[in-house]
Amino acid sequence: MPRTIVITGASSGLGEALALRYAREPNSRLGLIGRNRERLENVAQRCRDVGAAVSVAAIDVRSRAMMEDWLRRFDDENPIDLLIANAGVMTGSVAAGEIEPAEIAYQLVEINVLGVLNTVQPVVSRMIARGRGQIAIMSSIAGFVPLPDAPSYGASKAAALNYGLALRELLQPRGIKVSVVCPGYVSTAMTHQESGSKPFAIPPDRAAELIERGLAQDPAIITFPTFFALLTRLSGLLPDWLRRRTNAPFRFTVKDRDLRD
Ligand SMILES: NC(=O)c1ccc[n+]([C@@H]2O[C@H](COP(=O)([O-])OP(=O)(O)OC[C@H]3O[C@@H](n4cnc5c(N)ncnc54)[C@H](OP(=O)(O)O)[C@@H]3O)[C@@H](O)[C@H]2O)c1
C-alpha cells in the first residue's frame, strides 16, 4: 500500500538517508523539507529515480506560519502517514570550557525544539481526526545525559525526548503511533564539525535502516548502537560526581559555529 511520508531536514545526513530509504517503498510519496533548495532537489531527484513521487519545500522549520501552511496543503492532497521531525543543528564550545553565545543558543533551541512543534502541531489534529498516523521525533543519546560542551543542544534533545514520550502516551488511545529516535554518533556533516572521540559511529544509511526497522515495530524509543546507548542511559543514573568522571573521555569542542543558515 502506498505511503505518504514527510521528513524535515531531508537535505543531508540522516534525513537524506531516510528519504532515500523510504523512496524505495512501492509507490511512496515523499514530502521533503529543508532550507537549502539545491541540496533538497538533489535528494528529491535521487528519490524519484527509484520510483517515489516527491514534493520539496525549502522552508526554515522556525517559520511556524510557513510550516503550517505547507504541511496542511500537502496533507490535504496526500494525508500524511508518517511524519519525521528530524531537522536539527548542533553547536557547543569552540574552545574547551567556553560558554556558547546567547544568540547561538537561542537559535539552536528555536530550530531543535520549536521546529519540532512547528512540524508536529499542524499535522497532529489531522491524524487525530483520521484515527491513524505515525510520528517520529529525532532526539539523540545526548538527550539522556547533560552535555557540558553543548548545553543547549543536550537540553533541546532532552526536550524532544520528553515531548515525544508525552505525545506517545496521549495519542496512543487515538490510534496514533509516536516514537522518539535517540541515535548515538552518525557520520554526517553534524558530527564532522565535532572534535573528540565518536565511539561506535555508524554511517547514515545504516542509521536510516535501524530507524526504519524500529518505526515498523512502534517502540517508545529507538536508540542505537545498543551497547553505547545502554552505557549512556546508565551513566545518567550515576551520582553526579561519578557521571562526570565517566563522561570525561567524551568531552569535545566544535570546529565552528556555522548553523548552516
Ligand atoms: N549525526 C549524529 O551523530 C546525530 C546523533 C543523534 C541525533 N542526531 C540528530 O539527527 C538530526 C539530523 O542531523 P544530521 O546528523 O543528519 O545533521 P546534518 O547532516 O547537518 O543535517 C541536518 C538537517 O537539518 C536541516 N536543518 C537544519 N536547520 C534547519 C532549519 N532551521 N529548517 C529546516 N531544516 C533545517 C538541514 O537542512 P538545511 O541545511 O538545508 O536547512 C539538514 O537537512 C538532527 O536533529 C540531529 O540532532 C544526529
Side-chain angles (χ1 to χ4, degrees):
M1 185 180 151
R3 282 212 299 169
T4 300
I5 298 157
V6 168
I7 304 170
T8 67
S11 59
S12 79
L14 267 165
E16 172 183 0
L18 283 165
L20 292 168
R21 194 148 196 100
Y22 282 112
R24 289 192 211 110
E25 282 189 1
N27 304 318
S28 68
R29 165 163 286 284
L30 304 180
L32 306 182
I33 300 176
R35 289 168 300 181
N36 187 302
R37 183 173 288 281
E38 200 181 325
R39 282 201 299 262
L40 267 182
E41 287 292 357
N42 178 292
V43 176
Q45 191 50 52
R46 283 151 63 215
C47 291
R48 291 184 189 111
D49 289 346
V50 291
V54 187
S55 301
V56 155
I59 303 178
D60 189 320
V61 291
R62 284 174 288 186
S63 172
R64 181 176 169 186
M66 286 175 78
M67 286 293 285
E68 184 172 307
D69 182 56
W70 190 87
L71 284 165
R72 294 213 164 137
R73 278 192 292 110
F74 183 83
D75 189 75
D76 285 342
E77 301 283 315
N78 320 279
I80 298 167
D81 297 302
L82 171 60
L83 177 68
I84 306 182
N86 163 74
V89 289
M90 202 282 280
T91 188
S93 306
V94 171
E98 186 216 50
I99 295 171
E100 59 202 355
E103 197 47 48
I104 294 292
Y106 278 95
Q107 259 188 62
L108 183 144
V109 170
E110 274 186 39
I111 296 170
N112 289 9
V113 181
L114 298 186
V116 171
L117 293 188
N118 292 343
T119 305
V120 172
Q121 288 290 352
V123 180
V124 76
S125 53
R126 306 285 188 95
M127 286 185 172
I128 290 171
R130 293 195 284 267
R132 65 183 167 80
Q134 185 170 23
I135 299 170
I137 294 178
M138 190 60 72
S139 174
S140 165
I141 58 161
F144 296 146
V145 285
L147 282 188
D149 304 309
S152 55
Y153 180 75
S156 74
K157 292 302 170 182
L161 173 61
N162 199 301
Y163 177 65
L165 292 179
L167 275 189
R168 178 179 174 87
E169 194 169 335
L170 189 68
L171 297 179
Q172 214 162 31
R174 298 168 189 228
I176 297 154
K177 300 169 182 171
V178 182
S179 296
V180 184
V181 185
C182 297
Y185 292 101
V186 183
S187 302
T188 64
M190 185 177 283
T191 43
H192 293 155
Q193 54 125 10
E194 188 184 322
S195 75
S197 65
K198 294 165 196 125
F200 310 106
I202 58 171
D205 52 347
R206 172 67 180 146
E209 183 186 347
L210 293 169
I211 293 168
E212 185 195 39
R213 196 187 301 164
L215 287 176
Q217 291 160 11
D218 182 34
I221 297 177
I222 298 166
T223 187
F224 51 82
T226 312
F227 182 62
F228 188 50
L230 182 68
L231 284 184
T232 309
R233 297 189 85 173
L234 287 177
S235 87
L237 301 174
L238 295 174
D240 197 51
W241 65 270
L242 187 54
R243 180 190 55 73
R244 289 188 200 192
R245 277 201 192 175
T246 60
N247 186 44
F250 305 108
R251 298 292 299 264
F252 62 89
T253 55
V254 296
K255 288 192 188 116
D256 59 47
R257 286 226 175 71
D258 180 11
L259 293 182
R260 289 174 69 173
D261 57 356

